């Protein structure tokens, strides 16, 4: 199993290209199941999760071609996928394929909406809480589908198609909002979604669906109205920049010190995280086609963070901020309100010397002057990268084990950081 080796202490200087968003690319790929025509997705990140979804879609009969690199393009340019779901040969997504990635469960919505049937294994994914799918199943039922659970599979049927309905989410859910958007786009009549997720990835999915002929109003706000159409057509769409990758490298600069431009990204995708970074003592500045982050000389100030649905502080940056807070000049308070078990990184950060006290959903981090390198183990995607961030500023050598988690969500991380002066390498085997 590959590992990452880091020798801490080097400042980061230069530019880091930001990839297309994993959490946008996955639902966009899934949305291609809604049409018989070709969907072309540009700026798709090269990640293990994208590869896994390609396998799941191929298994359903979807043709996916990757366009070759054109003159002048580099490995920093995302991939272009041509996806054609004309011939769906199977409406089953099996356990072996779905169990490693929760987002793959979302194929249930377009399959039921277009084919009238889906059999999808209950999902797996990062170990960050119980992560149920009840809201997603309620969406399908609200639109007239039947739901049965049998031997770990959800079987959903709508023989005569879906019908518009009224959905009020009890809690904001990204996946349930994706599900509702996809299902309602092909349902007969109008669907009203209240308390919808406002995440940029939801807006990106709605933008693609609208290009495909869907009638959607209000995406990006908490109330969305969809008027169903009988069929959708092909479209071309570029995936939005990865706001979590952007925030992660921004935090890495705040941690290691230095001056970096993050390219091909947008500050409006994560204003709350940038506000927190400024409060921690980093400089954040919008530049052409990106954002500049710097921390020179001054120390890291303690922060007070509560994770919330967008536009609040994202749960997917909580672990990375905790790594930063371990070197704060005082006590930081970090409260996790989205997932109940998203503190697995605490015990690993402690191996580097971090002082963190957990009290229910809140972590109190007493900042210390220096972390010390150690072998650590990645537990989930964002927790893994928090260990890399900590390693960048720790004295001596940090080895991050089990980095297959990292490969799910960070494209060529060691190259991107290495090019900016970090002493980081992948050890294979
Ligand atoms: C998406 O997961 C992201 N995944 C997650 O990123 C992200 O952490 C999360 O949204 C929150 O922003 C992808 O986009 C692929 P939710 P999702 O439904 O949609 C509860 C990463 O590291 N809930 O918004 O699965 C749930 O338990 C991943 O890239 C129910 O109770 O998250 C949680 O408390 C990790 N019942 C809350 O809602 C349901 O049926 C929000 O979860 C569904 C959710």
């Amino acid at each position: 199993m590959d590992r990452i080796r880091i020798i801490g202490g080097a400042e980061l200087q230069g530019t880091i290209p930001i990839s297309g968003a994993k959490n946008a690319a996955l639902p966009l790929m899934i949305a291609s199941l809604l049409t018989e025509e070709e969907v072309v997705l540009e700026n798709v990140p090269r990640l293990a999760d994208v590869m896994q979804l390609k396998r799941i879609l191929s298994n359903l009969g979807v043709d996916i071609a990757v366009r070759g690199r054109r003159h002048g393009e580099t490995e920093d340019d995302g991939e272009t996928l041509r996806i054609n779901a004309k011939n769906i040969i199977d409406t089953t997504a099996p356990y072996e394929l779905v169990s490693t990635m929760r987002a793959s469960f979302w194929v249930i919505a377009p399959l039921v909406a277009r084919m009238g049937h889906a059999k999808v294994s209950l999902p797996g994914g990062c170990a960050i809480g119980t992560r149920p799918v009840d809201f997603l199943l309620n969406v399908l039922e609200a639109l007239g589908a039947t739901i049965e659970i049998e031997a770990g599979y959800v079987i959903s049927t709508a023989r005569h198609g879906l019908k518009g309905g009224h959905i009020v989410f009890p809690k904001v859910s990204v996946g349930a909002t994706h599900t509702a958007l996809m299902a309602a786009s092909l349902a007969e009549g109008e669907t009203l979604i209240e308390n919808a997720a406002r995440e940029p990835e939801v807006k990106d999915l709605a933008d693609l669906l609208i290009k495909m002929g869907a009638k959607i109003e209000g995406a990006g706000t908490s109330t969305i109205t969809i008027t169903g159409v009988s069929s959708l057509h092909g479209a071309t769409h570029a995936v939005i920049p990865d706001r979590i990758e952007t925030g992660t490298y921004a935090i890495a600069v705040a941690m290691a010190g230095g001056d970096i431009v993050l390219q091909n990204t947008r500050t409006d995708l994560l204003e709350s995280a940038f506000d927190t970074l400024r409060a921690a003592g980093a400089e954040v500045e919008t530049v052409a086609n990106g954002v500049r982050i710097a921390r020179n000389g001054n120390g890291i100030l303690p922060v007070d963070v509560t994770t919330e649905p967008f536009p609040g502080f994202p749960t997917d940056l909580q672990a990375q901020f905790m790594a930063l807070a371990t070197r704060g000049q005082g006590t930081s308070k970090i409260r996790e309100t989205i997932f109940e078990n998203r503190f697995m990184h605490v015990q690993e950060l402690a191996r580097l010397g971090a002082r963190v006290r957990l009290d229910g959903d809140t972590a109190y981090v007493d900042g210390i002057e220096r972390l010390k390198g150690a072998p650590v183990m990645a537990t989930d995607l964002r927790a893994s990268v928090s260990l890399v961030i900590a390693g960048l500023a720790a004295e001596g050598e940090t080895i991050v084990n089990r980095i297959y988690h990292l490969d799910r969500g960070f494209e060529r991380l060691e190259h991107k950081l290495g090019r900016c002066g970090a002493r980081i390498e992948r050890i294979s085997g």
Side-chain angles (χ1 to χ4, degrees), residues 152-377:
Y153 280 80
V154 176
I155 301 165
S156 182
T157 310
R159 287 281 171 233
H160 305 291
L162 295 171
K163 302 235 171 343
H166 185 187
I167 297 159
V168 186
F169 289 122
K171 186 174 176 181
V172 174
S173 161
V174 174
T177 308
H178 287 326
T179 305
L181 279 174
M182 289 190 271
S185 290
L186 282 186
E188 191 190 322
E190 191 173 283
T191 297
L192 174 65
I193 311 173
E194 293 187 72
N195 201 23
R198 289 181 281 164
E199 268 66 3
E201 295 76 19
V202 168
K203 173 81 172 44
D204 206 32
L205 173 62
D207 286 345
L208 170 66
L209 293 170
I210 290 168
K211 286 182 189 170
M212 292 165 70
K215 298 209 169 88
I216 301 174
E217 275 172 34
T221 74
S222 344
T223 306
I224 305 179
T225 314
I226 302 145
T227 308
V229 294
S230 56
S231 66
L232 293 169
H233 52 75
T236 298
H237 185 77
V239 180
I240 55 167
D242 195 315
R243 64 194 168 101
I244 304 304
E245 192 195 24
T246 304
T248 298
Y249 289 128
I251 296 167
V253 180
M255 183 67 159
D259 198 330
I260 287 278
V261 171
L262 303 175
Q263 275 176 333
N264 309 331
T265 191
R266 291 173 14 209
T267 39
D268 63 301
L269 297 173
L270 71 168
E271 277 170 3
S272 64
F274 283 140
D275 286 347
T276 313
L277 261 182
R278 285 193 188 95
E283 284 173 51
V284 181
E285 188 194 350
T286 304
V287 295
N289 193 29
V291 52
R292 178 179 153 254
I293 316 284
R295 190 177 66 80
N296 294 309
N298 52 339
I300 296 163
L301 302 172
V303 288
D304 195 343
V305 169
T306 298
T307 63
E308 284 168 352
F310 190 84
F313 185 92
T315 173
D316 290 346
L317 286 177
Q318 181 258 107
Q320 297 90 316
F321 252 95
M322 190 180 294
L324 179 65
T326 61
R327 294 193 57 225
Q329 296 167 341
T331 301
S332 294
K333 185 176 162 193
I334 299 180
R335 187 163 166 246
E336 172 59 59
T337 71
I338 308 291
F339 294 112
E340 76 275 20
N341 189 23
R342 209 172 196 183
F343 282 135
M344 310 261 277
H345 40 285
V346 169
Q347 61 202 29
E348 297 302 307
L349 288 170
R351 293 178 52 77
L352 302 173
R355 298 210 189 115
V356 186
R357 286 170 285 132
L358 282 181
D359 182 6
D361 65 1
T362 304
Y364 296 89
V365 186
D366 295 324
I368 53 171
E369 179 96 19
R370 284 257 157 264
L371 298 172
K372 289 216 165 62
V376 287
M377 185 130 53

Side-chain angles (χ1 to χ4, degrees), residues 79-195:
E79 226 166 42
T80 297
L81 303 183
R82 309 185 80 92
I83 308 178
N84 192 315
K86 187 171 172 45
N87 299 313
I88 295 193
I89 51 168
D90 196 350
T91 49
T92 301
Y95 174 76
E96 307 76 71
L97 292 176
V98 174
S99 57
T100 56
M101 182 175 57
R102 182 179 160 83
S104 48
F105 186 76
W106 302 340
V107 299
I108 197 165
L111 286 176
V112 175
R114 186 172 141 213
M115 309 302 289
H117 177 264
K119 181 177 174 187
V120 182
S121 169
L122 284 160
C126 279
I128 55 175
T130 50
R131 304 189 77 188
V133 290
D134 49 337
F135 302 164
L136 288 76
L137 302 185
N138 292 346
V139 164
L140 295 174
E141 278 181 330
L143 301 187
T146 59
I147 301 284
E148 279 170 75
I149 300 192
E150 214 178 274
Y153 280 80
V154 176
I155 301 165
S156 182
T157 310
R159 287 281 171 233
H160 305 291
L162 295 171
K163 302 235 171 343
H166 185 187
I167 297 159
V168 186
F169 289 122
K171 186 174 176 181
V172 174
S173 161
V174 174
T177 308
H178 287 326
T179 305
L181 279 174
M182 289 190 271
S185 290
L186 282 186
E188 191 190 322
E190 191 173 283
T191 297
L192 174 65
I193 311 173
E194 293 187 72
N195 201 23

